[in-house]
Amino acid sequence: MSKNMTSNTGSLFSKLQKTTSSMGLIMTAAIWGFAFVIVKDSLAHIGAVWMVAFRFTIAAVLLALCCVKKFSKLTATYWKHGAATGFFLCSGYITQTIGCNYTSAGKNAFLTTIYVILIPLFCWPLYKKRPHSYVFIAALLSVTGIGLLALDNADGSLFTMNKGDMLTLVCGVFYALHIISTAHCNRKDDPLLLTVLQFAFTSAFSWLCAPIIDGPLPVQGLCTPQVVLSMLYLGMFSTLVGFVLQNVCLKYVPPALASLFLSLESVFGVLFSTLLLQEHLTLRMIAGCVLIFCAIVLAEVVPNIKR
């Protein structure tokens, strides 16, 4: 009887862990989705690159304070890996944030998710591993969805894509490279230490680029309570809490389910931007969002379910 009770208790605890972690991943997606609204709303007061610099400085300092004891493990290899992955992460966030200045927060959220399709395609030549056939179907759906969502012929000319949408797609390329390089480095590195270095290098690169791209430090903007609260949210919640929550919850949730939950980021992005920023979605744009989300599920979730 006692063995059965122990087994039932263990099973119940395992289910509770999975349920709690699933809710944690949905919360992560919601935090990241809401960040698109925060970014869009704050760009009127602070430059895009300065925003990236401040949010990652906050995240780097806070995470470093939590990992002080691990610093003795740092080697030259860690610094090289941190610089490389940090460069891709910085490039992704800068292009995404600048792109958000020229397009809607909802479109920015959905177009960013192109990295899900790009990862298996980039891994093909790198690791000689041909993607599953689902990935190619997903790529076709994604391209169609991007066309419906981003291409605009309101002026009566040929279909064109605005600068913000193009920068957001470039951001997806950098995100894909960041995830691939991080996965490669994590095989030997301590993930938490590598994350600290990624945040630190992203912050450093942004501080170097901000005066060149955005101009002088926006002192007046930084004195605005709205901007201060926005930077704290982006640094503490969207960057630090989001990354940590994702890494912890992924330990207890199957990859297929985790991928589906995290992909809700784009859905939350559109939902919050519609409710809070009063952004308008046409039927064509909604169809594009649906196709892109279907492509994400097909590329990321279905192969994991089959495995």
Side-chain angles (χ1 to χ4, degrees), residues 117 132-139 141 292-304:
I117 314 297
H132 197 282
S133 57
Y134 289 119
V135 173
F136 297 102
I137 300 173
L141 285 175
I292 292 173
F293 187 74
C294 289
I296 296 168
V297 173
L298 193 60
E300 189 73 10
V301 180
V302 174
N304 281 320

Side-chain angles (χ1 to χ4, degrees), residues 5 14 22 43 62 65 104 133 141 146 172 185 194 200 221 241 266:
M5 289 179 64
S14 178
S22 297
L43 283 170
L62 292 177
L65 291 174
S104 68
S133 57
L141 285 175
I146 289 170
C185 295
L194 184 63
V241 174
S266 55

